[in-house]
């Protein structure tokens, strides 16, 4: 999975296509007894073993539903079954990165001074975590308290202004489901 900080709900991965161009469903693995059946959509499981379909091509995909337009052939003779992560998936990953650049371009920009402050805070918090994890946890608690005090006001204003979920999602760089969840979480904090 590929992730980019601040874009909740946009986890990227390698998706696969069958020879006919369709995207297969998950592969199920019956581990024997019990009611739980493991499933996977990780690209290496589509190698034809254990009755799985054989993927012919790969492309980038995102949890938000985006699929890359370009696809790339899979040469199963070059895939090390024990280390499939060594196979070149840079094409799909690059396509997903471009998708994320487009998502970022539509986001509401942070004020420059706040973006700088957050960047420095993230860096410093990482240092504090290395030095004193308890102090880092206290800083995180302070940040959560700030979010809990300011978030409900912002959520109520967005609701009052009747901003559509789609616009909230795009402005925050997250999926509509995550946007509704965030608004609901902050909205309920104020009750």
């Amino acid at each position: 999975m590929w992730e980019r900080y601040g874009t909740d709900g946009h986890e990227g991965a390698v998706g696969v296509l069958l020879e006919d161009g369709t995207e297969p469903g998950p592969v199920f693995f019956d581990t024997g007894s019990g009611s739980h059946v493991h499933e996977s959509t990780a690209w290496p499981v589509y190698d034809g073993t254990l009755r799985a379909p054989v993927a012919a091509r790969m492309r980038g995909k995102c949890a938000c539903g985006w699929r890359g337009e370009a696809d790339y052939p899979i040469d199963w003779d070059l895939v090390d079954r024990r280390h499939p992560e060594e196979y070149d998936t840079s094409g799909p990953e690059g396509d997903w990165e471009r998708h994320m650049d487009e998502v970022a371009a539509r986001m509401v920009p942070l004020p420059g001074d706040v973006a700088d402050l957050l960047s420095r805070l993230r860096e410093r918090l990482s240092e504090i975590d290395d030095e004193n994890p308890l102090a880092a946890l206290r800083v995180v608690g302070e940040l959560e308290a700030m979010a809990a005090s300011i978030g409900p006001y912002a959520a109520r204003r967005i609701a009052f202004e009747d901003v559509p979920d789609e616009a909230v999602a795009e402005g925050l760089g997250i999926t509509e489901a995550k946007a509704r969840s965030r608004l609901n979480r902050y909205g309920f904090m104020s009750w």
Side-chain angles (χ1 to χ4, degrees):
M1 283 284 214
W2 310 307
E3 295 181 299
R4 190 180 282 190
Y5 183 81
T7 55
D8 199 15
H10 285 281
E11 295 83 20
V14 174
V16 297
L17 297 170
L18 302 179
E19 191 64 47
D20 65 3
T22 61
E23 183 174 320
V27 173
F28 296 96
F29 301 96
D30 186 359
T31 55
S33 63
S35 60
H36 178 71
V37 177
H38 179 73
E39 67 180 71
S40 178
T41 57
W43 76 269
V45 303
Y46 296 97
D47 64 357
T49 60
L50 301 173
R51 290 189 247 155
V54 178
R57 306 185 71 71
M58 61 174 55
R59 66 179 174 181
K61 70 176 184 177
C62 186
C64 73
W66 171 88
R67 297 296 186 261
E69 290 181 23
D71 57 51
Y72 307 87
I74 300 173
D75 184 345
W76 288 105
D77 292 333
L78 299 178
V79 177
D80 182 340
R81 307 301 169 130
R82 293 186 181 166
H83 300 285
E85 72 280 358
E86 294 176 0
Y87 190 77
D88 181 16
T89 60
S90 60
E93 186 173 4
D95 294 342
W96 178 80
E97 286 291 345
R98 283 185 286 287
H99 161 64
M100 293 310 302
D101 290 343
E102 293 169 4
V103 168
R106 293 188 303 266
M107 291 171 66
V108 171
L110 292 174
D113 61 328
V114 174
D116 181 55
L117 183 62
L118 288 172
S119 177
R120 289 183 303 157
L121 179 60
R122 190 176 304 115
E123 184 177 306
R124 182 64 180 116
L125 188 54
S126 180
E127 293 169 358
I128 293 169
D129 183 45
D130 289 341
E131 299 162 6
N132 185 345
L134 192 55
L137 198 55
R138 179 155 182 226
V139 171
V140 169
E142 293 289 328
L143 293 171
E144 288 173 347
M146 278 191 276
S149 69
I150 297 167
Y153 295 109
R156 278 198 301 267
R157 290 196 55 193
I158 289 168
F160 179 75
E161 294 172 9
D162 204 22
V163 178
D165 289 345
E166 181 180 298
V168 174
E170 186 172 288
L172 297 179
I174 59 180
T175 63
E176 285 187 43
K178 297 283 184 178
R180 281 189 297 277
S181 176
R182 186 172 297 177
L183 288 173
N184 288 337
R185 184 178 72 226
Y186 287 125
F188 289 129
M189 292 175 96
S190 63
W191 293 104

